[in-house]
Amino acid sequence: SSLPFIPGYRIQELIGHGGQGKVYRAVQRRTDQTVAVKLVSNKQLQFLPEHDYSRILERLQSEVKTTAKLNHPNIVKVFDAGACDEGIYFIMQWISGGTLRDLNHPTPIELANHMRSIVNALDSTHQKHIFHLDIKPSNILIDKDNQSALLADFGLRSEEHTSELQSRQY
């Protein structure tokens, strides 16, 4: 399939896909910086609980602002979000090493260090009343350069669920 067109970015290749969309490696034309682009297609959007496109867009924009507040070394930075012909996209920090799920035979020490990083990231988000709700190996990215783990993909969820979650705490 052909690569999507997103203004201001040169999409280079598809690097993965999951339940919520496809992820591409791209270069921001203005800065020449490599970024990750997550694209949630219009087809996938119609299966979300709220079909109203403008409400979904609003929610994504709010999520970008929420995620941008999470300035933590073990959380993937989200720079922007918007809509293009194919759907809705997120522009995120490029992390070069794949996911925890892809990691071949990590040592117990490597695994423990990655888990410590993720727990620290979660502690930081929970203090801000932001909950991830979809923690799994494919949402933990590994930065090859400094061997650290970063939590990715807060998905279509953030502060809206906070009151619901807090009312369930016991």
Side-chain angles (χ1 to χ4, degrees), residues 59-135:
R59 200 163 146 206
L60 289 177
Q61 296 290 359
S62 136
E63 183 188 325
V64 167
K65 288 178 184 163
T66 299
T67 311
K69 290 178 204 163
L70 303 177
N71 191 15
H72 191 280
N74 298 107
I75 295 175
V76 173
K77 288 170 183 40
V78 177
F79 302 126
D80 198 7
C84 62
D85 290 344
E86 288 93 342
I88 288 172
Y89 63 86
F90 290 89
I91 307 296
M92 298 174 292
Q93 176 184 3
W94 171 253
I95 306 295
S96 61
T99 71
L100 185 62
R101 190 182 70 192
D102 307 328
L103 215 54
N104 268 333
H105 309 294
T107 68
I109 288 177
E110 284 175 316
L111 215 45
N113 286 336
H114 293 331
M115 290 305 95
R116 184 180 299 111
S117 299
I118 297 309
V119 168
N120 287 337
L122 289 170
D123 182 46
S124 168
T125 65
H126 291 180
Q127 287 176 27
K128 296 179 171 90
H129 300 289
I130 298 166
F131 300 91
H132 189 288
L133 305 183
D134 192 21
I135 298 161

Side-chain angles (χ1 to χ4, degrees), residues 44-59:
Q44 288 165 304
L45 289 171
Q46 72 190 20
F47 296 111
L48 289 175
E50 43 185 311
H51 306 298
D52 179 14
Y53 194 74
S54 62
R55 275 186 63 204
I56 291 171
L57 250 183
E58 212 173 278
R59 200 163 146 206

